[in-house]
Amino acid sequence: MIAQGSDQVQTGQLRVALAQINPKVGDFAGNTRLILEYAGKAAQTGAHAVVFPEMILTGYPVEDLALRATFRSASQSALTELAHQLIDCGDVVSVVGYLDESEGRQPQNAVAFIHHGQVVASYKKHHLPNYGVFDEFRNFIPGTESLVVRIHGIDVGIAICEDIWQEAGLVPTLAARRPGLIIVPNGSPYERNKDDLRAALVQKRAREFDAPLLYVNMTGGQDDLVFDGDSIAVTSGGEIIARAPQFFDGLMVVDVDCASATSDPDVIISQECIGAYQKITHGIASRLSTEAEIWEALVVGLRDYVHKNGFPSVILGLSGGIDSAVTAAIAADAIGAEKVFGVAMPSKYSSQHSLSDAADSAERIGLNYRVLGIQPMVDAFLTHVGLKGLAEENVQARIRGTTLMGLSNQEGHLVLATGNKSELAVGYSTMYGDAVGGFAPIKDLLKSEVWRIARWRNKVALERGETPPIPENSISKEPSAELRPDQKDSDSLPEYEILDQILTIYIENDGGLQGLLDAGFDPDLAIRVIKMVDGAEYKRRQYPPGTKISLRAFGKDRRLPITSGWKEVRLE
Amino acid sequence: MIAQGSDQVQTGQLRVALAQINPKVGDFAGNTRLILEYAGKAAQTGAHAVVFPEMILTGYPVEDLALRATFRSASQSALTELAHQLIDCGDVVSVVGYLDESEGRQPQNAVAFIHHGQVVASYKKHHLPNYGVFDEFRNFIPGTESLVVRIHGIDVGIAICEDIWQEAGLVPTLAARRPGLIIVPNGSPYERNKDDLRAALVQKRAREFDAPLLYVNMTGGQDDLVFDGDSIAVTSGGEIIARAPQFFDGLMVVDVDCASATSDPDVIISQECIGAYQKITHGIASRLSTEAEIWEALVVGLRDYVHKNGFPSVILGLSGGIDSAVTAAIAADAIGAEKVFGVAMPSKYSSQHSLSDAADSAERIGLNYRVLGIQPMVDAFLTHVGLKGLAEENVQARIRGTTLMGLSNQEGHLVLATGNKSELAVGYSTMYGDAVGGFAPIKDLLKSEVWRIARWRNKVALERGETPPIPENSISKEPSAELRPDQKDSDSLPEYEILDQILTIYIENDGGLQGLLDAGFDPDLAIRVIKMVDGAEYKRRQYPPGTKISLRAFGKDRRLPITSGWKEVRLE
């Protein structure tokens, strides 16, 4: 790196605090308190700057709230007020994401540099993701200017999240300005194994910028998204020097060596380089296993849906099967077993092991358990409405749903739906029956993943000397909806191991029939599964939200027509 | 208009057929048949060109199907095959919307010019709407080239839908090329009074281009959207010379006078101008009244949801109230009374007039009617689950929902939810109760609009000498959910006339609290309603789709977080 107009590179040190924290969408007062708390902590560590995640002041994503003038105005006022309150943090520079407006009063995803009670500079995100779960091109207009701010002689360049994922645009523009340090606030939702992609990208970009890069991501759940933190600091050579634990709130403080006065900054906050000081020891948190990562995501997603929406407790049906047993265990890890209410609702088709496994699940977890037989209600429907066959099967599921909703109305619990992604994909669920709920914790987990994390969670319990929360019998027995005598899931579905491979190609990879044929699946089976998936779109539309963990979850991540004559074809 | 390289303007005539037709998303075979049928009709009228709506070959909107390689490939193959089959139409040029791919194999919203069995030119849409119900920036990449094609000496320029709504970009680019005729294929969904905006825009653009403009829109329903046709032909001076009836499939043939050889075309299909011939007489269909327009939209939306999804019939609960009475009348107009099944499901709180008004509604319409008392099921729930208060109220609604779903499972009907927008806005509906259904015809109608179209529909019946389908008593009586003794909607809600004004400002205009205060509403009332609306977001997420008629419908038109700490504020 050659400083402009000089053959000699000056270097300086900077202590930067990365605030990996959990905001709540729209809660300006709460988010302000959180920012002040962490800015104060940062000041105590002697940090020169503290960097917060993307749109920390508004929470993220705000969706169409961005389109409302009152909301934009509140964000701008909250920023001014926050800046004023940050005076107490002394000389530290706070880098705070918020919602701003363009000159034409259009919404912009922005980051402010705040110093001595004033907003001294503001950057607007250039690249607005508009794929997958993101609608940013709908909600914001892009920024067009890069920003470099000099802090203690170091020229700090900024990019927001998607800005560094795009090769063209901001990255080369900013690189040409030769900043000495890059900071990147993010609102990057968790996806299975995404942390590996992130680290590789951050390393690559640091090398391209030839400058250290600090990547700050938020934590916590927001409807169907979970943010896993995973903040990262890398050197100009791309070496990871610090990495925060996943799904964990905290302040990661790093000392970085940066070339100074490398650029022509837009704003100078402070000219003088910091003299050499004793660096702190950095930590690199070890990565979670895939199972642990998924479990944490589901726990955090449910925990925040419950807490941020003010529910005192949750209720779910316990069938003795794997899905409800795993959901109950997640709920207990999320909010405590004493706030989890399980209800076994046997009908005449329920086997004895269903009831005993449900009771076992409740006892292992220590949740609140009751048994409410549904046969009197079923009989009333069969007699007075005259339902038979599939209608009789479904009415049982709907009476269970109505029972849970009744208890929810009466006792104030959030109802959890326990369906998994495999069932939801092929429509193997009853609308207004087992699909009832305000939140569906495992809706993005394939059945085989449900088994996998169940075994993992039990193993962890044993390692900790605790009772495994999921009954072994719920894991090992053959899945059945028990809505008619001797029913098995395999009566109408392929074995889950095969089904889940097909679903991964068809849904997660959007492979179409051709993708399944290329992978060697039998054409008749492939077409049968595709028909089931396509035909169940209307059911998914009315399904509750639940935590996204895959590359492509149902919901806003995958937007397909219900009315459709499309039949998958082989490519020519 | 000055022709290039000449002081003398040559003019020519062109006969163009505007095919205002109803495709089905993804049904390549069916849409191909439809296009061939209308191209054939166009050829019979002696038309020189036939213009089809936007993406007529794939249907519209295709949503994330655009992201699938198999789907794009099928569209391209279907276009080639269609071009081949169009040979039978002789010399007529067919202008056909389809889904294409860029050189980088990214999806593009395209229009092909087909002549003598070959695709001779293709235009890619420049402006991709990504607001409201549109996700085109998600699903397509924009085109960058304008296109002018010479047909019988007339230089025909093309724009697709949104292209002409934007001042910058394609409009000035294309205008600078001085085309002699502009054709505009559209997939423009119906919104209340949108036809007035369209006509004004089309007239303005024609004057700007100084060329006649032909605007072709599709018809029919696709999930929550309805397309109203409303195809328009204007002269270079902006005079409307022909306008197709709304919500009506057909071929509108126009003879237009165009300056010839005005541009430097990209493709020449035919050089020679047509000699003067006898023009046909154009018709300008009269506009429907607002009530008629809304009624037609709801009828077409429901009709196509039923037919395109292959349902034999519909079923709904008849409460004797206005919402179910209007929904039943719409259903009868859409698919015939003999395919409409109404069920009265009285509980002990149902008044006598509820049952008699329900029966009256059924008799007036001539639909299939039955009475199924729900008290035995209610009693079973109250006894065995022990529900009281709000839980008892809601269980009645859920038993009705379960009953309808049971009959649907048994008899194959599509269940219709009968809720209106006012109820849905403030959460005055029971999830899995009255919210049950595959389609919700009046979900985008405010309560006051429900009354308004009910009165209108009855008046039309009287004018035709038919029985008014909606009982006068259902229109005039005070609304009640009848879930507890002497309950009235006005116990928990403001009068609907006031409520609907508030909802229009808060939802349709996104006005925030400030908008309500500016309109003079009492702050306490405004805040109370806003709280109800914001707090019911989770209920709306699980509500069935229904026809959009307003500027901002619930669903993909209005995307807000469920988890939110945002409270509306006054602007500073």
Side-chain angles (χ1 to χ4, degrees), chain A residues 25 132 138 223 386 410 562-563 565, chain B residues 25 132 138 223 386 410 562-563 565:
Chain A
V25 163
R138 170 187 179 89
D223 290 348
Q410 194 123 303
I562 297 175
T563 303
Chain B
V25 163
R138 172 187 177 91
D223 290 348
Q410 194 124 304
I562 296 175
T563 303

Side-chain angles (χ1 to χ4, degrees), chain A residues 465-485:
Chain A
E466 295 168 358
T467 307
I470 298 145
E472 187 52 39
N473 203 32
S474 299
I475 301 177
S476 58
K477 71 182 171 186
E478 196 177 345
S480 165
E482 295 195 332
L483 296 174
R484 61 170 184 261

Side-chain angles (χ1 to χ4, degrees), chain A residues 113-334:
Chain A
F113 285 73
I114 299 172
H115 186 239
H116 287 174
Q118 298 292 324
V119 174
V120 294
S122 177
Y123 169 76
K124 315 293 160 53
K125 190 176 187 178
H126 285 210
H127 294 283
L128 303 174
N130 204 65
Y131 51 81
V133 297
F134 301 108
D135 278 317
E136 292 207 2
F137 197 78
R138 170 187 179 89
N139 291 324
F140 309 121
I141 67 163
T144 52
E145 305 297 320
S146 64
L147 177 68
V148 175
V149 176
R150 184 167 292 174
I151 303 173
H152 290 302
I154 312 297
D155 291 326
V156 180
I158 185 153
I160 303 177
C161 203
E162 185 77 6
D163 285 339
I164 63 164
W165 289 85
Q166 302 294 328
E167 295 292 334
L170 183 75
V171 165
T173 302
L174 187 58
R177 296 188 64 186
R178 298 173 170 272
L181 173 66
I182 309 288
I183 56 180
V184 190
N186 296 272
S188 174
Y190 171 74
E191 275 169 18
R192 208 195 295 116
N193 302 326
K194 193 181 188 181
D195 53 336
D196 303 334
L197 291 178
R198 267 188 210 130
L201 178 77
V202 162
Q203 293 177 295
K204 175 167 176 269
R205 291 291 178 236
R207 285 190 291 263
E208 288 168 5
F209 282 115
D210 193 18
L213 192 153
L214 306 178
Y215 179 100
V216 188
N217 192 22
M218 62 181 57
T219 53
Q222 170 62 28
D223 290 348
D224 45 1
L225 300 183
V226 158
F227 299 89
D228 55 335
D230 188 29
S231 300
I232 309 171
V234 297
T235 66
S236 60
E239 187 198 348
I240 295 178
I241 54 170
R243 192 163 185 183
Q246 295 162 275
F247 303 104
F248 194 86
D249 294 8
L251 197 71
M252 183 168 83
V253 183
V254 295
D255 286 313
V256 277
D257 292 316
C258 312
S260 65
T262 49
S263 184
D264 180 17
D266 303 289
V267 174
I268 296 174
I269 289 178
S270 45
Q271 278 285 16
E272 253 170 83
C273 281
I274 303 291
Y277 59 84
Q278 179 69 40
K279 283 187 193 167
I280 56 169
T281 307
H282 298 139
I284 300 180
S286 57
R287 300 292 87 195
L288 299 175
S289 69
T290 299
E291 293 86 352
E293 197 178 273
I294 292 174
W295 190 273
E296 274 306 308
L298 300 180
V299 165
V300 169
L302 175 57
R303 180 200 71 196
D304 278 10
Y305 193 86
V306 170
H307 289 164
K308 291 180 177 178
N309 286 296
F311 288 100
S313 51
V314 301
I315 192 167
L316 74 166
L318 289 180
S319 72
I322 182 73
D323 295 323
S324 57
V326 165
T327 304
I330 291 166
D333 282 2

Side-chain angles (χ1 to χ4, degrees), chain A residues 25 64 68 70 132 138 222-223 309 386 388 394 409-410 432 437 506 510 542 559 562-563 565 568 571, chain B residues 25 64 68 70 132 138 222-223 309 386 388 394 398 409-410 432 437 506 510 542 559 562-563 565 568:
Chain A
V25 163
D64 284 1
R68 224 179 272 181
T70 42
R138 170 187 179 89
Q222 170 62 28
D223 290 348
N309 286 296
K388 296 187 295 280
N394 284 334
N409 284 155
Q410 194 123 303
Y432 324 123
Y506 187 60
D510 223 352
Q542 296 189 39
R559 306 178 190 174
I562 297 175
T563 303
E568 273 294 330
L571 291 176
Chain B
V25 163
D64 283 2
R68 224 179 273 180
T70 41
R138 172 187 177 91
Q222 169 62 29
D223 290 348
N309 286 295
K388 295 187 295 281
N394 283 332
R398 293 197 179 106
N409 285 155
Q410 194 124 304
Y432 324 124
Y506 187 59
D510 223 353
Q542 296 188 40
R559 305 179 191 174
I562 296 175
T563 303
E568 273 295 329

Side-chain angles (χ1 to χ4, degrees), chain A residues 561, chain B residues 25 55 59-63 133-134 136 218 222 225 227 556:
Chain B
V25 163
M55 291 190 78
Y60 180 86
V62 297
E63 306 189 55
V133 298
F134 301 108
E136 292 207 2
M218 61 181 59
Q222 169 62 29
L225 300 183
F227 299 89
K556 65 185 171 183

